[in-house]
Amino acid sequence: MSLFQNTYDVIVVGGGHAGSEAAASAANLGCSTLLVTMNIQNIAQMSCNPAMGGIAKGQIVREIDALGGYSGIVSDASAIQFKMLNKSKGPAMWSPRVQSDRMKFAEEWRMMLEGTPNLDFYQEMVSGLLTENGKVVGVKTSLGQIIKAKTVVLTNGTFLNGLMHIGDKQFGGGRAGEGAAFGITEDLVKLGFESGRMKTGTPPRVDGRSLDYSKMIEQPGDAIPEKFSYLDSSKALTEQRSCWMTYTSPEVHDLLREGFERSPMFNGRIKSIGPRYCPSIEDKINRFADKDRHQLFVEPEGWNTCEMYVNGFSTSLPEEVQFKAMRSVAGFENVKFFRPGYAIEYDYFPPTQLKHTLETKLVEGLFFAGQINGTTGYEEAASQGLMAGINAALKVQEKEPFILKRNEAYIGVLIDDLITKGTEEPYRMFTSRAEYRTLLRQDNADFRLTPKGHALGLASDERLIRMEKKLSQSSEMVNFFRETSIKPEEANPVLEEKGSSPMAQPDKMFKVLSRPQIDLDDFLKFKKVAAYVEERNLDREVIEQAEIQVKYSGYIEKEKNHADKLNRLEDAIIPENFDFDKIKSISIEAKQKLNKIRPKTIAQASRISGVSPSDISVLLIHMGR
């Protein structure tokens, strides 16, 4: 007798960041949803560093929140420190980041999911897929349970045939203390999917009571901390915990080199490719041999625990080598280990096998999200989970799919990069990957995406009302600056204090406030501005938004115009069954790539590696454009 009598609309396999967002979004869109995970105690576990956000990743968390996802809310509820990175640069580069309480983060996620209607849970290993006539119809578990479903979302993280390495020891596992998952890869390969192997790693965790912080540099949070979620119910921090920074040294590097011959990275046992932008300490020493030191960030794992995460010391060297070298780091002379660092290899599936919805091309109703697609990072995984959950629900409901364009969201850039270009190494999001980053700022994610999330039924009325109020107030403030003049006697003391040329005659505030030397706090020194803000009781978020619109209006307008031009190619749809082979004037490589990826639009085709501008011109002519 089956434990599951009914067919679920959506089954989500895996309870990490991708799986949690997928399950929440599908259930919140009204679908009967089942989250199957190997260990319910580890839902939304922070497997690596205890932090959310960072360069470009913070923008993604804001986008998830604007659409009605949970990652921003959970991050705020479990934060122990907030920092807005890159504040010295333009607002397109500003990136929010929180240091998280690891245990509280997982607990908050668990409680959010348990409070979500339409969502069931089951602890078991999914060992295979059920398909009929090219369509997924359910999953089977290692204990022989058959669970029927209309759609399935795979978010298996590092668990598919996971193999962990510490020095010359290797053992199966998905992460420390947890077993690997078997069966799914084999089923997918039988169905015709191409698979590959990737590698990631993690540093040792240490006892913070054994460290000497007087030899390190304190890294406090922002004096005025912000928050991730746009909801009023999500609160900014009133107190914070500091992180600490120290450095490796030539002595540390020499001690680490002693273990290189036993390193699985260098002796050939690890054959898969690791993350380029988060290399292990041995990889850094090898690749950057001219550097005599590297930064290490000592990050608390929570409010009350003494466990510390040593960011920058990711390694798979033997435990005794890790320990001996770390004891030569300033402040770590008496360090005690909680657990050593390790590397892990796992299966992934090149994402060119997916549609923009994250549904697979080979099996209808089957969606992939997270590290199974070759990405790295909680934020990248969570955003894919959100989009896969949304599209699985929309498919069940026979509604139009939800796809974000590159000029609409970093999430759109991420997914388009994956399915168009693929990846042979763990993919990580950066601001440099987005050609419209002036438009895709962390401060305006609600303007860009909350109306879309609300139209889907995912973002609440509360979110939409708050967004519309913020948009109205900031727009009115920009108009106030455009229409209101300021006299030299009021402006010049502020201008001279900031080293900006004094005014000789009255001028519009918009022009004065556009000066690069003038910042948000200078705005408020002008009596007319201070009175305007006080009269309307405007919060800092609105004032900052108005400042950005004033200072960067020229750049924003230019990028909008550029995006509008390129969007014409995004709207040039390639028919689904278009025969690329019949076009004789394009290169053989272009034909092969176009046939493999099956781009939906001319713009997507133009981003495929191996498809040249001349190939695109021929394609446009052939389509009668």
Side-chain angles (χ1 to χ4, degrees):
M1 179 179 172
S2 172
L3 298 176
F4 306 93
Q5 299 300 313
N6 300 318
T7 297
Y8 281 96
D9 291 327
V10 183
I11 289 178
V12 178
V13 180
H17 299 263
S20 296
E21 286 287 4
S25 59
N28 281 325
L29 288 177
C31 286
S32 59
T33 306
L34 176 67
L35 176 60
V36 189
T37 184
M38 291 168 68
N39 188 345
I40 287 179
Q41 302 303 320
N42 292 334
I43 282 176
Q45 178 80 9
M46 290 181 136
S47 308
C48 200
N49 65 317
M52 286 291 281
I55 308 301
K57 293 166 172 280
Q59 283 86 329
I60 288 175
V61 177
R62 282 268 166 97
E63 290 177 351
I64 293 169
D65 182 72
L67 285 166
Y70 288 173
S71 288
I73 298 167
V74 172
S75 295
D76 288 341
S78 57
I80 63 175
Q81 186 194 90
F82 183 94
K83 268 193 172 182
M84 185 66 76
L85 308 180
N86 281 341
K87 260 302 211 181
S88 61
K89 300 179 180 177
M93 305 298 286
W94 298 353
S95 301
R97 182 184 189 272
V98 296
Q99 200 68 32
S100 303
D101 184 311
R102 184 189 297 278
M103 289 183 284
K104 189 168 176 57
F105 184 92
E107 180 189 14
E108 289 288 338
W109 250 116
R110 172 85 178 262
M111 295 301 99
M112 291 283 285
L113 289 172
E114 287 191 14
T116 301
N118 308 312
L119 180 57
D120 293 344
F121 303 85
Y122 187 57
Q123 178 173 296
E124 241 263 64
M125 185 181 86
V126 171
S127 58
L129 297 169
L130 303 175
T131 60
E132 291 177 7
N133 302 317
K135 185 174 182 179
V136 74
V137 294
V139 301
K140 54 189 174 184
T141 73
S142 59
L143 293 178
Q145 288 293 325
I146 299 296
I147 316 174
K148 293 295 186 72
K150 297 174 184 174
T151 60
V152 172
V153 183
L154 294 183
T155 69
N156 303 85
T158 58
F159 283 80
L160 292 181
N161 294 320
L163 183 64
M164 298 167 63
H165 300 266
I166 302 179
D168 23 39
K169 301 163 189 162
Q170 56 182 226
F171 42 94
R175 60 181 165 220
E178 295 183 68
F182 303 102
I184 290 178
T185 293
E186 292 72 19
D187 270 11
L188 290 171
V189 170
K190 284 177 189 172
L191 288 166
F193 285 90
E194 176 193 348
S195 71
R197 295 283 278 178
M198 280 189 178
K199 174 224 132 185
T200 190
T202 193
R205 285 15 171 231
V206 303
D207 188 335
R209 298 168 299 182
S210 65
L211 304 181
D212 183 353
Y213 298 102
S214 68
K215 296 181 179 179
M216 305 182 200
I217 303 163
E218 188 173 6
Q219 304 281 299
D222 288 348
I224 306 175
E226 297 181 40
K227 58 193 182 76
F228 263 122
S229 181
Y230 291 101
L231 287 176
D232 286 327
S233 54
S234 199
K235 302 299 181 187
L237 289 166
T238 53
E239 60 175 309
Q240 303 183 71
R241 279 201 71 176
S242 288
C243 297
W244 303 84
M245 185 173 73
T246 184
Y247 292 91
T248 62
S249 65
E251 181 188 359
V252 174
H253 296 182
D254 288 341
L255 290 169
L256 289 167
R257 284 191 188 97
E258 288 178 13
F260 277 13
E261 63 184 28
R262 295 172 62 198
S263 167
M265 273 191 57
F266 297 131
N267 63 19
R269 272 202 308 279
I270 292 180
K271 296 181 172 64
S272 44
I273 300 172
R276 178 190 301 265
Y277 305 104
C278 189
S280 65
I281 188 68
E282 54 263 41
D283 196 22
K284 282 191 277 192
I285 292 169
N286 192 48
R287 280 165 54 189
F288 307 108
D290 58 317
K291 304 288 185 188
D292 59 7
R293 67 176 192 171
H294 295 284
Q295 289 179 333
L296 299 177
F297 292 94
V298 184
E299 302 175 345
E301 295 266 352
W303 283 113
N304 302 312
T305 181
C306 64
E307 187 174 1
M308 306 295 276
Y309 178 91
V310 190
N311 197 337
F313 207 92
S314 177
T315 181
S316 58
L317 288 166
E319 309 100 291
E320 63 272 19
V321 176
Q322 296 181 32
F323 183 67
K324 188 176 177 183
M326 191 168 273
R327 282 215 156 187
S328 294
V329 173
F332 281 73
E333 292 82 1
N334 298 303
V335 70
K336 294 178 181 178
F337 269 26
F338 271 16
R339 41 188 163 147
Y342 61 88
I344 180 167
E345 290 185 282
Y346 55 94
D347 293 340
Y348 87 105
F349 291 81
T352 50
Q353 301 171 99
L354 303 176
K355 302 175 184 178
H356 269 93
T357 57
L358 297 180
E359 184 181 16
T360 67
K361 295 172 183 175
L362 276 174
V363 177
E364 186 181 351
L366 179 63
F367 294 77
F368 291 173
Q371 284 175 290
I372 192 172
N373 290 337
T375 59
T376 179
Y378 309 144
E379 304 82 2
E380 289 89 342
S383 67
Q384 292 172 71
L386 176 77
M387 297 298 285
I390 289 170
N391 281 308
L394 294 176
K395 187 173 184 70
V396 169
Q397 295 163 354
E398 298 182 351
K399 294 179 180 177
E400 284 295 308
F402 181 63
I403 296 168
L404 292 169
K405 296 178 181 176
R406 295 181 73 91
N407 66 315
E408 292 176 325
Y410 272 93
I411 297 172
V413 175
L414 167 67
I415 292 173
D416 187 67
D417 274 359
L418 290 175
I419 70 162
T420 303
K421 301 172 183 174
T423 185
E424 294 178 352
E425 61 183 61
Y427 178 102
R428 180 179 179 179
M429 179 53 73
F430 290 103
T431 50
S432 58
R433 294 193 190 272
E435 59 270 45
Y436 304 116
R437 53 187 172 272
T438 306
L439 300 180
L440 307 182
R441 306 185 309 277
Q442 55 83 31
D443 61 89
N444 71 352
D446 53 346
F447 295 169
R448 292 184 278 118
L449 299 178
T450 294
K452 293 179 184 293
H454 187 264
L456 282 169
L458 204 57
S460 64
D461 292 343
E462 178 196 353
R463 283 186 180 279
L464 188 67
I465 291 166
R466 190 183 188 283
M467 182 280 296
E468 288 174 339
K469 180 182 177 184
K470 174 184 162 187
L471 179 60
S472 172
Q473 288 180 332
S474 58
S475 298
E476 286 170 8
M477 193 171 192
V478 172
N479 287 333
F480 166 75
F481 291 142
R482 288 186 189 279
E483 295 165 4
T484 308
S485 295
I486 189 168
K487 294 178 180 177
E489 53 265 35
E490 184 179 356
N492 283 343
V494 175
L495 297 177
E496 287 167 3
E497 180 188 337
K498 298 305 291 276
S500 187
S501 303
M503 294 167 53
Q505 58 190 31
D507 208 342
K508 296 295 183 189
M509 277 192 177
F510 190 96
K511 189 174 177 182
V512 177
L513 298 175
S514 298
R515 298 188 183 196
Q517 301 92 340
I518 306 301
D519 59 27
L520 178 61
D521 292 324
D522 297 321
F523 274 39
L524 302 175
K525 291 176 183 175
F526 297 130
K527 290 178 183 176
K528 288 181 182 177
V529 177
Y532 181 93
V533 169
E534 187 176 350
E535 184 182 322
R536 289 159 181 79
N537 193 29
L538 300 180
D539 61 29
R540 193 174 180 89
E541 191 179 350
V542 170
I543 303 165
E544 188 176 84
Q545 184 59 224
E547 177 194 23
I548 290 168
Q549 293 296 331
V550 170
K551 283 188 164 304
Y552 298 93
S553 58
Y555 297 103
I556 292 169
E557 198 58 38
K558 185 177 178 181
E559 200 156 278
K560 275 183 182 172
N561 292 335
H562 184 56
D564 289 342
K565 286 178 185 175
L566 288 181
N567 267 342
R568 293 171 200 159
L569 292 180
E570 296 286 2
D571 295 332
I573 306 297
I574 300 172
E576 194 164 329
N577 298 315
F578 190 85
D579 186 0
F580 295 105
D581 287 325
K582 70 183 180 184
I583 308 176
K584 293 184 170 57
S585 305
I586 63 174
S587 68
I588 293 172
E589 182 184 5
K591 286 179 187 177
Q592 290 172 343
K593 295 285 181 69
L594 291 165
N595 278 318
K596 180 181 180 182
I597 293 169
R598 305 297 309 175
K600 293 287 186 186
T601 68
I602 292 290
Q604 187 194 345
S606 71
R607 292 189 288 270
I608 297 172
S609 175
V611 178
S612 69
S614 62
D615 293 327
I616 295 298
S617 297
V618 172
L619 192 55
L620 281 167
I621 293 166
H622 202 82
M623 290 176 60
R625 300 180 75 93

